[in-house]
Amino acid sequence: MSKKIIMDCDPGHDDAIALILAGAQNSSLDILAVTTVAGNQSVEKNTKNALNVLEVMGRGDINVSVGATRPLLKPASFASEIHGDSGLDGPKLPEVPALKPTQKQAVDVIIETLKQSEEPVTLVATGPLTNIATVLIKEPNITQYIDSITIMGGGTFGNWTPTAEFNIWVDAEAAKRVFESGVRINVFGLDVTHQVLATDQVIGGFREIHNPIADFVVELLEFFKSTYKTHFNMDGGPIHDACTVLYLMEPELFTMQHTHIDIEHQSLLTYGTMSIDLNDVTNKEKNAFFATAVNVPKVWKLMNKMLASYGKNNS
Ligand code: RIB
Ligand code: CA
């Protein structure tokens, strides 16, 4: 039985890989909709990238709807130094995508899709949580239709400030609202995503698959690796966002701890910091499952299998 998901994203190299894995022929996930949000780049650029990636995947059957142009309160902040000016630098992609977005706003599409589904739907969020928070604010009773909110974000350390991770830092007010929703939240933070590094050796393995999608992923990862070397002196690009869909396909790849998570949204110094009460010192209600460990070899094994499932002609 496939698990129904909606992917809210800001492609973004690792968002693109999450889409490719979730949309693979042998995926156990059924993507009902893709929605885009301002984050890595403007929502216009992120939407163009999502459309181009779905075209490369041969998944023009999946609709893309445009979301928030900026966070709930703050002005927009982009990560051009990591993902490039296009938001998906590296591979050569059409300036005008063959696919077009829907005319509906992302938040309305998420609400409609949730209500129309015959079973609860998992919201996969791999960018700032602006769209997800807006859904919860606009339609408080929507939580009954949500199986879980599974996010890439946060962690016990930061990559955008010393203590804040980018997705949470872009819109901490939105993140706080999501963690107060009462919905099950699965959190993949930097503690695990910085362990799944696409190094030369890992990329070399994907290069041996020899199909157009694997070749496309190699191009994505070569660029991503280069910016992580420049900015973080890391020997591989962390496939942050892919951890969400890999967990949904094979939960046993990750160790999850039930804990209390809150988000700092008032401090100038620590805005966007994720407070994760792993030692239960506050004795507050546990509202999230936080990934504390990952089986890295099994991640690459699964990713290889998913990429190899794409045919020689992307279908
Ligand atoms: O901090 C990593 C996150 O920020 C990932 O989702 C990446 O795509 C960027 O959005
Ligand atoms: Ca992302």
Side-chain angles (χ1 to χ4, degrees):
M1 182 78 161
S2 63
K3 181 185 281 287
K4 299 194 180 309
I5 69 170
I6 293 171
M7 292 192 72
D8 187 70
C9 54
D10 62 338
H13 293 70
D14 51 329
D15 304 73
I17 291 169
L19 273 172
I20 288 165
L21 298 179
Q25 297 308 310
N26 62 346
S27 166
S28 57
L29 306 180
D30 177 7
I31 305 175
L32 301 180
V34 169
T35 53
T36 55
V37 65
N40 283 322
Q41 262 299 349
S42 67
V43 73
E44 292 79 11
K45 290 183 178 180
N46 295 341
T47 302
K48 175 178 151 187
N49 295 335
L51 293 166
N52 274 328
V53 170
L54 287 169
E55 174 73 14
V56 170
M57 290 164 61
R59 291 302 310 268
D61 59 302
I62 299 173
N63 282 334
V64 177
S65 298
V66 182
T69 58
R70 52 162 293 178
L72 294 180
L73 298 182
K74 282 172 45 183
S77 308
F78 304 144
S80 308
E81 50 272 68
I82 302 298
H83 297 274
D85 184 59
S86 72
L88 206 62
D89 281 17
K92 182 130 185 64
L93 290 164
E95 195 46 44
V96 179
L99 301 174
K100 300 296 173 228
T102 69
Q103 291 308 304
K104 291 186 175 179
Q105 222 281 342
V107 166
D108 297 330
V109 168
I110 293 171
I111 291 169
E112 285 169 23
T113 305
L114 287 171
K115 286 184 171 179
Q116 287 165 4
S117 175
E118 290 170 6
E119 62 193 74
V121 177
T122 292
L123 298 182
V124 178
T126 60
L129 291 167
T130 314
N131 290 340
I132 308 302
T134 307
V135 164
L136 295 167
I137 293 164
K138 186 171 182 179
E139 195 89 22
N141 297 327
I142 201 70
T143 52
Q144 63 186 297
Y145 302 100
I146 301 172
D147 181 64
S148 81
I149 299 174
T150 296
I151 76 164
M152 189 281 142
T156 60
F157 57 92
N159 64 358
W160 212 252
T161 76
T163 58
E165 177 277 330
F166 179 76
N167 284 342
I168 306 298
W169 178 85
V170 165
D171 197 343
E173 286 80 7
K176 185 166 182 64
R177 181 64 185 78
V178 170
F179 280 92
E180 292 172 346
S181 66
V183 174
R184 172 180 173 129
I185 306 174
N186 301 309
V187 181
F188 297 87
L190 299 177
D191 303 76
V192 291
T193 69
H194 274 202
Q195 294 181 49
V196 282
L197 302 181
T199 59
D200 285 336
Q201 184 188 359
V202 169
I203 295 171
F206 299 147
R207 217 185 289 277
E208 292 309 307
I209 295 174
H210 297 301
N211 72 31
I213 276 286
D215 295 343
F216 178 63
V217 166
V218 165
E219 286 186 275
L220 288 172
L221 290 173
E222 285 292 358
F223 178 85
F224 203 40
K225 174 166 66 77
S226 71
T227 59
Y228 263 82
K229 186 64 180 173
T230 303
H231 294 282
F232 297 99
N233 195 29
M234 289 164 73
D235 291 329
I239 55 163
H240 303 285
D241 296 337
C243 289
T244 59
V245 298
L246 289 164
Y247 166 77
L248 292 170
M249 290 180 205
E250 288 191 12
E252 65 279 6
L253 290 179
F254 295 87
T255 305
M256 308 298 283
Q257 180 173 337
H258 200 196
T259 186
H260 179 77
I261 288 181
D262 200 349
I263 306 294
E264 173 57 61
H265 66 106
Q266 294 171 310
S267 159
L268 283 178
L269 174 65
T270 57
Y271 177 89
T273 296
M274 179 179 279
S275 167
I276 312 156
D277 189 5
L278 294 173
N279 292 319
D280 198 14
V281 294
T282 67
N283 204 27
K284 286 186 175 178
E285 184 188 1
K286 295 178 172 57
N287 60 344
F289 290 82
F290 181 74
T292 56
V294 54
N295 185 322
V296 176
K298 284 195 172 180
V299 160
W300 300 130
K301 187 162 179 269
L302 177 58
M303 188 164 160
N304 249 289
K305 188 180 103 182
M306 302 310 290
L307 294 179
S309 77
Y310 280 88
K312 295 297 179 199
N313 59 354
N314 283 11
S315 63

